[in-house]
Amino acid sequence: QVSPEQVILSHSPLQLFSQFHQRCMLVAGQGPVEENAHNLGFKHVVTIESLRKAYPLLDMVDLSRRPKELPPPTTGFPTIEGVILFGEPVRWETSLQLIADVLLSNGNPGAELQDVPYPHLPILACNMDLLWMAEAKMPRFGHGTFLLCLESIYKKVTGRELKYEALIGKPSPVTYRYAQYLIQEQAEKQGWKAPIRRLYAVGDNPMSDIYGANLYNNYLKSAQQNQVQAGLKRGPQAASPQAEVSLELRNDCNCSVESCESILVCTGVYRHNGDVPKKTVETVFHGHRDFRFDPSLMEASYIVQDVDDAVQLAFKKENWS
C-alpha cells in the first residue's frame, strides 16, 4: 500500500516555496486548485472564477457570458501578488485573458497603467508536458501547450519574454531532487542502513520523463565532480535559471545517490511496434522553452514494454530478483 507521502504530484515541491505562501496568489487549472494551494501552504488564494466574477468586463470572448448591463466598479478585491499555474484549465480563452490581465496590470485588473510592468509578477508553473496520451489514437494537448500559448501571447503583446520564478514537474530537476528526498526519507523510516546509490525513473514520454531523468542524472554527476574538485555543494549550470535545483533541497543535498537511470515504457506517449529498439531519439523538441534541446537527453537508459517490466528490470539490476 502506497502512503500519501510517497506520492509526488507535479505541484508537490511548491510546499518548499515558502517565500510566496503569505502572498495573494492567483491559481489556475482545474479540479480543487484552491484546496491544493492551501494544502501546499499558500494562505491567500484567488481563483480564475472568483476573479472573473469580480471583474465581469474582462471575460469577453464568449458572447453568452458578457454582462448585459454595465456592472458597478469593483471594490475590495485584493491585489494579486503572484500566479500559480497548476495545470491546463477548461476554458483556455478565459484563463489566458485573465492571467494576461493580471500580469499587465501588476495584480490590479481594474487599474489602467501607463506602462507595462516588467519584470512582471512571479509565476510558478507546474506540469510542462506538451502532450499526453489518453484513449484517442493521437496524443492530447497538455499544460505545456497552454504555457506555450500564454508565453506567445505575452511576448506578442509586450515584446518581452514571459519569465517563470520556477518550473516544477517533469523534466525539472527540482522535481527529481524532491523525489530523491522523499525516497531517502522513506528509507530512513524503514530502517535501511545502506545508502541509496541509484534511482530508477520510469516514464512513457521521452520529452519529459526521460529528458528529466537524464538531466537529473547529469546533475548528480556534476555535483559529485564539484565536491571532489572543489568541495562545494552546488549543482551544475542548468539549461536556465528556472531549471536549477534550488531552495531547501539544494542546500540539503545528500550525494550518496550516484545516478538516475531512465526507463522508457511503450504504453503511453511512446509507442513502438515490433521489437523494442535500444535507443530512441526525437528530432522535434516538445520540451519547454526554458530547457535546451539535447537529443542525448531523450535517449533512455533502458526501453521495456510496460511498468511491470521496468520494476523487474530494476530488481534485476539491484540483484533483488
Side-chain angles (χ1 to χ4, degrees), residues 59-244:
D59 189 21
M60 302 295 280
V61 172
D62 187 341
L63 297 178
S64 66
R65 302 220 303 187
R66 293 183 182 180
K68 302 300 185 288
E69 299 178 357
L70 190 65
T74 301
T75 58
F77 198 82
T79 298
I80 295 170
E81 300 171 292
V83 180
I84 303 174
L85 305 177
F86 278 114
E88 60 269 25
V90 174
R91 281 180 166 266
W92 284 31
E93 82 283 359
T94 297
S95 292
L96 288 170
Q97 177 70 77
L98 269 61
I99 293 169
D101 288 333
V102 166
L103 297 178
L104 297 176
S105 67
N106 209 31
N108 294 281
E112 183 178 355
L113 303 184
Q114 296 298 318
D115 299 308
V116 174
Y118 198 83
H120 54 68
L121 294 174
I123 301 176
L124 305 169
C126 312
N127 188 1
M128 293 166 277
D129 283 5
L130 186 77
L131 304 170
W132 64 287
M133 201 68 198
E135 290 73 24
K137 300 298 182 183
M138 294 183 291
R140 302 294 85 198
F141 292 158
H143 192 216
T145 307
F146 178 82
L147 297 179
L148 179 63
C149 293
L150 181 62
E151 293 156 10
S152 300
I153 292 170
Y154 185 85
K155 186 170 185 179
K156 193 72 173 180
V157 171
T158 68
R160 291 166 167 167
E161 294 285 351
L162 187 78
K163 303 288 186 181
Y164 295 94
E165 188 72 24
L167 287 166
I168 303 169
K170 296 174 293 188
S172 170
V174 175
T175 293
Y176 290 84
R177 181 64 190 92
Y178 185 66
Q180 176 187 329
Y181 170 78
L182 292 186
I183 289 171
Q184 291 172 321
E185 192 177 58
Q186 288 295 312
E188 291 177 5
K189 289 181 179 179
Q190 296 294 328
W192 289 12
K193 301 301 183 183
I196 295 173
R197 299 296 185 189
R198 286 169 297 279
L199 302 176
Y200 293 89
V202 183
D204 65 16
N205 191 333
M207 291 290 181
S208 59
D209 303 327
I210 303 306
Y211 180 105
N214 290 336
L215 187 64
Y216 190 61
N217 186 60
N218 288 349
Y219 162 79
L220 292 171
K221 300 299 184 186
S222 295
Q224 293 169 23
Q225 292 175 3
N226 286 339
Q227 281 197 323
V228 170
Q229 295 174 1
L232 298 177
K233 284 192 175 183
R234 57 189 175 95
Q237 185 173 353
S240 71
Q242 291 78 21
E244 290 186 11

Side-chain angles (χ1 to χ4, degrees), residues 37-52:
H38 286 309
N39 290 339
L40 291 166
F42 294 91
K43 306 300 182 185
H44 311 287
V45 176
V46 172
T47 65
I48 291 289
E49 185 61 21
S50 63
L51 180 63
R52 187 184 75 84

